[in-house]
Amino acid sequence: MVPSPARHQEEVKKVFTEFLEKKKMRKTQERFAILEEIYNIEHFDAYSLFVNMKDKNYRVSRATVYNTLELLIECGLVKRHHFGANFSVYEKAYHYRQHDHLVCMDCQKIYEFCDPRIQNIQEMVQDMYGFDIEYHTLVFRGICQACESKKQNSSPGSSRTTSTK
Amino acid sequence: MVPSPARHQEEVKKVFTEFLEKKKMRKTQERFAILEEIYNIEHFDAYSLFVNMKDKNYRVSRATVYNTLELLIECGLVKRHHFGANFSVYEKAYHYRQHDHLVCMDCQKIYEFCDPRIQNIQEMVQDMYGFDIEYHTLVFRGICQACESKKQNSSPGSSRTTSTK
DNA sequence: GTTTTATTAAGAATTAGTCTAAATAAAAAT
DNA sequence: ATTTTTATTTAGACTAATTCTTAATAAAAC
């Protein structure tokens, strides 16, 4: 059973609190403000997070955003992705089903999908190469349905039956 | 049948030549020097390529390295990967079987593997999400066999039977 | 409440990658 | 073959993401 959003929020805070206590690190306002902010977003990058928080009149520095993200990754509450651009994309990771990503090369939107077969591939690789796998990254890049139909409508002289290029 | 290395080298040059001719671009020494250099390396990043060429007393600038890599990607002779660091990793791509990657988090070495099941997943995603997929990236990250056994030998007090955390 | 010290903010530094403008070298014209 | 034209190159300036530094701040310990 998936916990309710509010309950979930509390659980996440508890996880981070215990993590910080175990590491004998301080429970600062900034760290929890960042955690709270993150748990309202789907996918985000460090700079947007920083700007969003500034806009909401939190006073956080870039350094703290990066440092806290690092901590949240370490304790498993956040995942970092390198989706090909020159910056990292992050997402919350607690109690979130295993999934992989579809990135639209046109609108840059990120979609999620699940497929258990990746697990099988992982096991095969583990056995065949003696590789002790920690995690995987699977990204499909292409054009999403929305952008595809947008293109079809706007391209002048394109017929519905001929494929464009 | 896979062509011999020398023959292969020639083919690759021909592909690039024709590409440049089609685009009415110039066949410069620098462009071919970079191509030749690349076809002796497995995986590389732009900076190492630049330094290696400098060491061999080629005179190439960083800009030319980046620009030429872009051209080689465009004509399908090179692939770019974003393996999680803050820089791109490249590899030659001509007549090279489809494969994915294993990255060792310890020694940073990159291994390759093939699995046809990824194709199936791709088709499923294509159908279910109406996503027009151009390519995929699958990376497993973990500890390679070599590093694993190195650790086992060096960790003091570790027994062969108990798993280390 | 005071002291201690980890953490923060602001901005300097770094790093991968891109851009710019003068110099060079392919290709075209003579 | 030489000259002219212009794409390409080089070196270094620039940018953007991220990391580092240092004085100021605020948790936690006393």
Side-chain angles (χ1 to χ4, degrees), chain A residues 46-72:
Chain A
Y47 183 71
S48 314
L49 177 58
F50 170 66
V51 170
N52 280 353
M53 296 196 74
K54 280 275 176 196
D55 288 352
K56 292 186 183 176
N57 287 323
Y58 288 102
R59 246 227 289 74
V60 279
S61 65
R62 260 165 318 141
T64 299
V65 167
Y66 280 104
N67 291 339
T68 303
L69 283 173
E70 213 57 54
L71 285 173
L72 290 170

Side-chain angles (χ1 to χ4, degrees), chain B residues 19-42:
Chain B
F19 172 82
L20 291 173
E21 282 171 355
K22 198 173 291 172
K23 294 203 78 175
K24 290 186 167 44
M25 295 179 88
R26 290 184 179 172
K27 286 160 256 166
T28 66
Q29 297 188 321
E30 290 81 0
R31 284 176 177 159
F32 284 92
I34 289 168
L35 177 60
E36 205 154 307
E37 187 67 15
I38 282 172
Y39 268 73
N40 296 319
I41 330 177
E42 282 302 317

Side-chain angles (χ1 to χ4, degrees), chain B residues 25-26 28 30-31 54 59-64:
Chain B
M25 295 179 88
R26 290 184 179 172
T28 66
E30 290 81 0
R31 284 176 177 159
K54 281 275 177 197
R59 244 224 294 70
V60 279
S61 64
R62 256 168 321 142
T64 299

Side-chain angles (χ1 to χ4, degrees), chain A residues 69-80:
Chain A
L69 283 173
E70 213 57 54
L71 285 173
L72 290 170
I73 289 164
E74 198 186 331
C75 81
L77 290 172
V78 165
K79 267 190 190 169
R80 193 209 321 268

Side-chain angles (χ1 to χ4, degrees), chain A residues 96-108:
Chain A
Y96 207 61
R97 73 192 192 295
Q98 194 276 206
H99 64 270
D100 290 287
H101 295 95
L102 260 48
V103 181
C104 179
M105 291 160 75
D106 212 73
C107 66
Q108 308 300 322

